[in-house]
């Protein structure tokens, strides 16, 4: 272990660093069609140190992990492992270079034993080239014992272990090839408090072994507990780094959110009426607890929170997709208890889900059929579809959204992501709802399409509709909402009026930092 | 999609035309309208069955029990006719479709309420229905002696120049065409096949829609139970044994995607006709039945490869988007 003073000296004079970084990235960029995921990013990981990677959703953390683990190739830039430049050719190749990742949900093989998981791909062999089962079990048990996880039997099927123990197996796998760089991607997201404690003991052990650890977390208490250094990403760029001990939480929050205005939000003159939707004490056995809020006519209500805070689950309950254990939903003065999506659509609530591909459009169907899908009861007559009516409906709503398509008979699968999103929104508008719930409406779409979606949202409320917008993007929340509900760990943490609201307040509320 | 599909169907039309042309070079009589009408009539039952199967396949399911359902229902209506010859034929048809629908509903409930994969459910009922056929018949069979003249005669009668059996196929084609292109149910069948998750959000009850698909395929199998028994004038445990594979083959050759959501009435019709022509023409030109099987098998693989190529382009786009998200 190094002293903080030595580290600081190393930081001040990179040329005489106490230790050469085990892994360093410089000038790494990566783009996807229409999206710049990483731009000129640099990062160094030192032996025996934990570096926390911090950033909002969409800041580029996942892309970075995928580059480090060989899943994506960077467009530009250099990766050095122990000073040698490497071009990672795939996951296996990264693994051979001693880079290993432990994900939120472990990516191991449930139906194989612990020993098999640890040694998959590099199992000890007998003289004639068969797997040496006995040696494999013994060595796996040794590794587990060395890292203080002797309670895990190497013969157990992985399926029978809890997530915390699966993480241990993933670490054992890293140890078994003498991995020097361990990436932990939100490893605590699914763990109990006790398990988190055990995981941190393990991190301390790995530090002692001289591993370089990249720790990705949204939770500030964890970062301050185990990280030595931090790096902050914002919009695909590295915007700050330093020693955790020298930096306050508020400084880090400021780095996360402070940004140049890259996007103009539509001017609105909110015309807010009486209450439309009242949710009172809505609870679910596991996902959310006593959630109460009110949505008024003509209002955009933002829902902010960390991933997993329970926002989507609350919305799915309102949309009839998830059951509830307690609480009530009142829409326009009437108690409703939707049991199916059809119930809530009939009541005038539509839910536009987050995953456009999986839950949104029906690829292979033309645009007009996608638009008319939830409105078939209206566009058909005595059980017979009227295609002309469907076309008319689709034209009305796609034109309002400025959809770019050669014809309404075009397969939605051939449209860009942004235009697909417009089809999804058109589809829901066509049901003529009172309330529209947009879950991450602009996630993963390009700036131009984002602006169109925002302009359209403004138009919706102008026409008297009410909108609930679940978003993890602060500029969007601040730029579009009239009021903001912040959720944390399944509960409503705070409700704010947007007047004079700043990003830091929201992030603090979402992360549970007491100002 | 429709452009690709149309293209695919045109390919099948060309293959069939080529086949008929080749056969006609040696046996000109084969291509005469009268003979082609006979081939169509001989293929009618397969056409109807393939349409019923298609509805199930569209929903990402499969009905392996259709041929057994056909045998069981065929046996039951034959026994009805043997014991109560006075029951009018329209009522027999209603009986066949009702029994078939009930058997199909049994499949459907297991898929819907218990969430068991359709292939497992219908593999089980394939055996159960076949076994029940043996049980209800007491191990015997019903042959021409015990069938009434009406029972055997109806579908052999002629109407507007076509045998009544062919008219059943025409009616089924019209029914399924309208169902799939002109009703909300038809649209739902496609939607849940392509993207069940999106369908749920749209308010479509996926389980219930699958259930209806099984009821339909069951009713169709039941109808064909009567048609088969009266056409071949025998109801026995072995009737249509293994025929479920021919039905599925017709669907696959017709471009209906086993992965669900893709397929058309025209495709199912052409797929069934393709197999029908092979089985009626090859004996004429002296090709052994084993060659027939090899040709059908090759056609199935060719169809699957062509369809896979057609769908791959879309897959790439989705993958790119998944990465960008």
């Amino acid at each position: 272990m190094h002293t903080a003073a030595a580290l600081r000296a190393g930081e001040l004079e990179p040329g005489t660093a106490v230790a050469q970084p085990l892994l360093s990235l410089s000038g790494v960029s990566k783009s996807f069609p229409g999206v710049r995921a990483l731009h000129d990013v640099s990062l160094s990981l030192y032996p025996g140190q934990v570096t926390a990677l911090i950033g909002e959703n969409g800041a580029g953390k996942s892309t970075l992990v995928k580059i480090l683990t060989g899943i994506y190739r960077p467009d530009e830039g250099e990766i050095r492992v122990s000073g040698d430049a490497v071009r990672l050719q795939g996951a296996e190749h990264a693994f051979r270079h001693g880079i290993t990742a432990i994900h939120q949900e472990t990516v191991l093989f449930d139906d194989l034993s612990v020993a098999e998981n640890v040694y998959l791909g590099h199992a000890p062999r007998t003289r004639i080239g068969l797997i040496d089962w006995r040696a494999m079990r013994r060595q796996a048990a040794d590794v587990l014992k060395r890292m203080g996880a002797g309670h895990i039997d190497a013969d157990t099927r992985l399926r029978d272990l809890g997530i915390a123990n699966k993480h241990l197996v993933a670490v054992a796998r890293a140890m078994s090839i003498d991995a020097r760089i361990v990436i932990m991607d939100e490893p605590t997201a699914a763990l109990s408090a006790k398990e988190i404690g055990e995981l941190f003991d393990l991190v301390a052990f790995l530090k002692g072994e001289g591993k370089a650890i990249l720790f990705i977390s949204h939770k500030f208490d964890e970062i301050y507990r185990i990280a030595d250094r931090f790096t902050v990403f914002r919009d695909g760029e590295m915007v700050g780094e330093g020693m955790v001990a020298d930096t306050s939480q508020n400084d880090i929050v400021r780095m996360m959110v402070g940004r140049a205005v890259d996007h103009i939000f539509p001017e609105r003159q909110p015309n807010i009426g009486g209450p439309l939707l009242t949710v009172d004490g809505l609870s679910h056995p596991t996902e959310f607890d006593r959630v109460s809020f009110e949505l008024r006519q003509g209002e955009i209500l933002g829902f902010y929170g960390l991933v997993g805070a329970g926002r989507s689950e609350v919305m799915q309950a309102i949309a009839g997709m998830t059951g509830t254990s307690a609480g009530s939903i009142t829409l326009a003065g009437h108690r409703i208890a939707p049991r199916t999506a059809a119930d809530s659509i009939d009541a005038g609530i539509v839910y536009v889900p987050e995953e456009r591909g999986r839950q949104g459009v029906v690829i292979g169907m033309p645009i007009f059929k996608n638009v008319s899908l939830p409105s078939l009861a209206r566009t058909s007559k005595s059980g017979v579809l009227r295609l002309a009516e469907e076309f008319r409906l689709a034209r009305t709503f796609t034109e309002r959204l400025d959809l770019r398509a050669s014809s309404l008979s075009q397969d939605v699968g051939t449209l860009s992501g942004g235009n697909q999103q417009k089809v999804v929104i058109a589809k829901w508008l066509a049901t003529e709802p009172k309330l529209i719930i947009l879950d991450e409406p602009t996630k993963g779409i390009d700036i131009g399409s984002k602006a169109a979606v925002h302009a359209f949202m403004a138009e919706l409320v102008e026409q008297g509709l009410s909108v609930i917008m679940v978003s993890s993007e602060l500029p969007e929340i601040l730029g579009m909402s009239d009021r903001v509900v912040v959720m944390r760990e399944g509960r409503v943490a705070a409700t704010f009026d947007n007047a004079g609201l700043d990003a830091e307040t929201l992030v603090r509320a979402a992360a549970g930092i007491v100002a | 999609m429709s452009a690709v599909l149309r293209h695919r169907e045109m390919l099948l039309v060309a293959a069939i035309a080529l086949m008929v042309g080749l056969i006609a070079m040696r046996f000109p009589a084969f291509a005469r309208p009268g003979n082609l009408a006979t081939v169509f009539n001989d293929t009618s039952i397969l056409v109807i069955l393939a349409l019923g199967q298609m509805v199930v396949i569209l929903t990402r399911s499969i009905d392996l029990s259709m041929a057994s359902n056909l045998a069981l229902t065929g046996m039951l209506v034959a026994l009805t006719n043997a014991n109560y010859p006075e029951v009018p034929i329209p009522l027999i048809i209603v009986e066949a479709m009702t029994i078939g629908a009930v058997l199909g509903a049994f499949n459907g409930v297991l898929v819907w309420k218990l969430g068991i994969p359709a292939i497992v459910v219908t593999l089980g009922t394939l055996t159960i229905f076949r076994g029940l056929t043996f049980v209800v018949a007491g191990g015997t069979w019903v042959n021409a002696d015990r069938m009434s003249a009406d029972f055997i005669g109806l579908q052999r009668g002629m109407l507007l120049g076509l045998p009544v059996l062919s008219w059943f196929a025409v009616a089924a084609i019209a029914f399924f065409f309208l169902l799939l292109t002109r009703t909300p149910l038809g649209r739902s069948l496609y939607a849940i096949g392509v993207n069940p998750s999106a369908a749920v959000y749209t308010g479509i009850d996926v389980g219930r829609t699958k259930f209806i698909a099984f009821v339909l395929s069951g009713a169709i199998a039941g109808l064909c139970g009567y048609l088969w028994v009266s056409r071949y004038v025998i109801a026995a445990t072995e009737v249509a044994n293994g025929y479920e594979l021919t039905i599925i083959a017709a669907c696959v050759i017709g471009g209906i995607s086993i992965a669900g959501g893709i397929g058309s009435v025209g495709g199912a019709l052409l797929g069934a006709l393709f197999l029908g022509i092979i089985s009626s023409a090859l004996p004429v030109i002296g090709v052994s039945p084993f060659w027939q099987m090899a040709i059908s098998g090759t056609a199935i693989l060719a169809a699957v490869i062509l369809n896979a190529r057609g769908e791959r382009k879309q897959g790439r786009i989705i993958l790119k988007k998944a990465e960008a998200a």
Side-chain angles (χ1 to χ4, degrees), chain B residues 268-287:
Chain B
L269 170 64
L270 291 168
L273 285 178
F274 184 89
L275 290 179
I277 290 168
I278 288 179
S279 67
S280 56
L282 297 191
V284 176
I285 54 174
V287 175

mmCIF file of all heavy atoms in Angstrom, chain B residues 268-287:
data_model
loop_
_atom_site.group_PDB
_atom_site.id
_atom_site.type_symbol
_atom_site.label_atom_id
_atom_site.label_comp_id
_atom_site.label_asym_id
_atom_site.label_seq_id
_atom_site.Cartn_x
_atom_site.Cartn_y
_atom_site.Cartn_z
ATOM 1 N N ALA B 268 -48.871 -20.044 -47.564
ATOM 2 C CA ALA B 268 -49.307 -21.355 -47.082
ATOM 3 C C ALA B 268 -49.926 -22.147 -48.230
ATOM 4 O O ALA B 268 -49.675 -23.345 -48.388
ATOM 5 C CB ALA B 268 -50.305 -21.181 -45.942
ATOM 6 N N LEU B 269 -50.724 -21.459 -49.041
ATOM 7 C CA LEU B 269 -51.373 -22.115 -50.178
ATOM 8 C C LEU B 269 -50.323 -22.669 -51.148
ATOM 9 O O LEU B 269 -50.364 -23.839 -51.541
ATOM 10 C CB LEU B 269 -52.274 -21.105 -50.883
ATOM 11 C CG LEU B 269 -52.858 -21.533 -52.236
ATOM 12 C CD1 LEU B 269 -53.791 -22.719 -52.057
ATOM 13 C CD2 LEU B 269 -53.613 -20.374 -52.889
ATOM 14 N N LEU B 270 -49.345 -21.831 -51.498
ATOM 15 C CA LEU B 270 -48.328 -22.253 -52.452
ATOM 16 C C LEU B 270 -47.469 -23.377 -51.880
ATOM 17 O O LEU B 270 -47.107 -24.315 -52.585
ATOM 18 C CB LEU B 270 -47.447 -21.055 -52.844
ATOM 19 C CG LEU B 270 -48.152 -19.994 -53.687
ATOM 20 C CD1 LEU B 270 -47.304 -18.738 -53.780
ATOM 21 C CD2 LEU B 270 -48.460 -20.533 -55.074
ATOM 22 N N GLY B 271 -47.143 -23.261 -50.587
ATOM 23 C CA GLY B 271 -46.347 -24.311 -49.964
ATOM 24 C C GLY B 271 -47.061 -25.648 -50.022
ATOM 25 O O GLY B 271 -46.454 -26.680 -50.342
ATOM 26 N N ALA B 272 -48.355 -25.626 -49.726
ATOM 27 C CA ALA B 272 -49.122 -26.871 -49.769
ATOM 28 C C ALA B 272 -49.213 -27.387 -51.207
ATOM 29 O O ALA B 272 -49.060 -28.587 -51.461
ATOM 30 C CB ALA B 272 -50.514 -26.648 -49.189
ATOM 31 N N LEU B 273 -49.451 -26.480 -52.166
ATOM 32 C CA LEU B 273 -49.550 -26.906 -53.567
ATOM 33 C C LEU B 273 -48.233 -27.515 -54.057
ATOM 34 O O LEU B 273 -48.230 -28.506 -54.787
ATOM 35 C CB LEU B 273 -49.929 -25.721 -54.468
ATOM 36 C CG LEU B 273 -51.388 -25.280 -54.396
ATOM 37 C CD1 LEU B 273 -51.614 -24.070 -55.294
ATOM 38 C CD2 LEU B 273 -52.326 -26.432 -54.788
ATOM 39 N N PHE B 274 -47.146 -26.904 -53.629
ATOM 40 C CA PHE B 274 -45.833 -27.418 -54.020
ATOM 41 C C PHE B 274 -45.710 -28.887 -53.628
ATOM 42 O O PHE B 274 -45.366 -29.751 -54.432
ATOM 43 C CB PHE B 274 -44.746 -26.584 -53.332
ATOM 44 C CG PHE B 274 -43.344 -26.942 -53.719
ATOM 45 C CD1 PHE B 274 -42.732 -26.339 -54.808
ATOM 46 C CD2 PHE B 274 -42.632 -27.888 -52.993
ATOM 47 C CE1 PHE B 274 -41.441 -26.670 -55.172
ATOM 48 C CE2 PHE B 274 -41.336 -28.225 -53.345
ATOM 49 C CZ PHE B 274 -40.738 -27.617 -54.443
ATOM 50 N N LEU B 275 -46.042 -29.174 -52.368
ATOM 51 C CA LEU B 275 -45.953 -30.560 -51.898
ATOM 52 C C LEU B 275 -46.981 -31.439 -52.607
ATOM 53 O O LEU B 275 -46.704 -32.597 -52.938
ATOM 54 C CB LEU B 275 -46.178 -30.619 -50.387
ATOM 55 C CG LEU B 275 -45.049 -30.031 -49.536
ATOM 56 C CD1 LEU B 275 -45.399 -30.118 -48.060
ATOM 57 C CD2 LEU B 275 -43.741 -30.764 -49.818
ATOM 58 N N GLY B 276 -48.173 -30.859 -52.845
ATOM 59 C CA GLY B 276 -49.229 -31.621 -53.514
ATOM 60 C C GLY B 276 -48.812 -32.024 -54.922
ATOM 61 O O GLY B 276 -49.048 -33.163 -55.356
ATOM 62 N N ILE B 277 -48.185 -31.098 -55.630
ATOM 63 C CA ILE B 277 -47.763 -31.399 -57.000
ATOM 64 C C ILE B 277 -46.681 -32.467 -56.988
ATOM 65 O O ILE B 277 -46.713 -33.417 -57.775
ATOM 66 C CB ILE B 277 -47.278 -30.117 -57.714
ATOM 67 C CG1 ILE B 277 -48.478 -29.205 -57.965
ATOM 68 C CG2 ILE B 277 -46.583 -30.451 -59.028
ATOM 69 C CD1 ILE B 277 -48.124 -27.816 -58.402
ATOM 70 N N ILE B 278 -45.745 -32.333 -56.066
ATOM 71 C CA ILE B 278 -44.697 -33.356 -55.986
ATOM 72 C C ILE B 278 -45.314 -34.726 -55.773
ATOM 73 O O ILE B 278 -44.999 -35.684 -56.470
ATOM 74 C CB ILE B 278 -43.712 -33.034 -54.833
ATOM 75 C CG1 ILE B 278 -42.845 -31.836 -55.218
ATOM 76 C CG2 ILE B 278 -42.821 -34.232 -54.521
ATOM 77 C CD1 ILE B 278 -41.871 -31.436 -54.156
ATOM 78 N N SER B 279 -46.248 -34.795 -54.824
ATOM 79 C CA SER B 279 -46.743 -36.134 -54.511
ATOM 80 C C SER B 279 -47.675 -36.676 -55.589
ATOM 81 O O SER B 279 -47.810 -37.881 -55.720
ATOM 82 C CB SER B 279 -47.412 -36.151 -53.133
ATOM 83 O OG SER B 279 -48.580 -35.372 -53.185
ATOM 84 N N SER B 280 -48.293 -35.800 -56.360
ATOM 85 C CA SER B 280 -49.175 -36.367 -57.395
ATOM 86 C C SER B 280 -48.446 -36.541 -58.730
ATOM 87 O O SER B 280 -48.809 -37.407 -59.516
ATOM 88 C CB SER B 280 -50.428 -35.509 -57.585
ATOM 89 O OG SER B 280 -50.067 -34.190 -57.891
ATOM 90 N N ALA B 281 -47.395 -35.739 -58.960
ATOM 91 C CA ALA B 281 -46.740 -35.816 -60.273
ATOM 92 C C ALA B 281 -45.629 -36.842 -60.311
ATOM 93 O O ALA B 281 -45.455 -37.532 -61.322
ATOM 94 C CB ALA B 281 -46.181 -34.450 -60.653
ATOM 95 N N LEU B 282 -44.886 -36.949 -59.255
ATOM 96 C CA LEU B 282 -43.717 -37.809 -59.315
ATOM 97 C C LEU B 282 -44.070 -39.273 -59.575
ATOM 98 O O LEU B 282 -43.387 -39.928 -60.372
ATOM 99 C CB LEU B 282 -42.847 -37.632 -58.072
ATOM 100 C CG LEU B 282 -42.269 -36.221 -57.927
ATOM 101 C CD1 LEU B 282 -41.214 -36.172 -56.849
ATOM 102 C CD2 LEU B 282 -41.681 -35.705 -59.243
ATOM 103 N N PRO B 283 -45.129 -39.791 -58.992
ATOM 104 C CA PRO B 283 -45.482 -41.171 -59.336
ATOM 105 C C PRO B 283 -45.793 -41.301 -60.831
ATOM 106 O O PRO B 283 -45.450 -42.308 -61.452
ATOM 107 C CB PRO B 283 -46.722 -41.451 -58.501
ATOM 108 C CG PRO B 283 -46.683 -40.459 -57.401
ATOM 109 C CD PRO B 283 -46.027 -39.252 -57.961
ATOM 110 N N VAL B 284 -46.404 -40.263 -61.385
ATOM 111 C CA VAL B 284 -46.775 -40.312 -62.800
ATOM 112 C C VAL B 284 -45.540 -40.466 -63.675
ATOM 113 O O VAL B 284 -45.523 -41.229 -64.631
ATOM 114 C CB VAL B 284 -47.530 -39.019 -63.198
ATOM 115 C CG1 VAL B 284 -47.840 -39.013 -64.694
ATOM 116 C CG2 VAL B 284 -48.799 -38.889 -62.386
ATOM 117 N N ILE B 285 -44.478 -39.730 -63.314
ATOM 118 C CA ILE B 285 -43.281 -39.838 -64.149
ATOM 119 C C ILE B 285 -42.328 -40.910 -63.626
ATOM 120 O O ILE B 285 -41.160 -40.966 -64.012
ATOM 121 C CB ILE B 285 -42.554 -38.470 -64.291
ATOM 122 C CG1 ILE B 285 -42.246 -37.887 -62.921
ATOM 123 C CG2 ILE B 285 -43.387 -37.505 -65.101
ATOM 124 C CD1 ILE B 285 -41.409 -36.622 -63.012
ATOM 125 N N GLY B 286 -42.831 -41.726 -62.720
ATOM 126 C CA GLY B 286 -42.070 -42.903 -62.321
ATOM 127 C C GLY B 286 -40.927 -42.640 -61.365
ATOM 128 O O GLY B 286 -39.909 -43.328 -61.392
ATOM 129 N N VAL B 287 -41.088 -41.611 -60.515
ATOM 130 C CA VAL B 287 -40.055 -41.352 -59.516
ATOM 131 C C VAL B 287 -40.489 -42.024 -58.210
ATOM 132 O O VAL B 287 -41.655 -41.965 -57.837
ATOM 133 C CB VAL B 287 -39.882 -39.833 -59.306
ATOM 134 C CG1 VAL B 287 -38.898 -39.554 -58.179
ATOM 135 C CG2 VAL B 287 -39.414 -39.187 -60.593
#
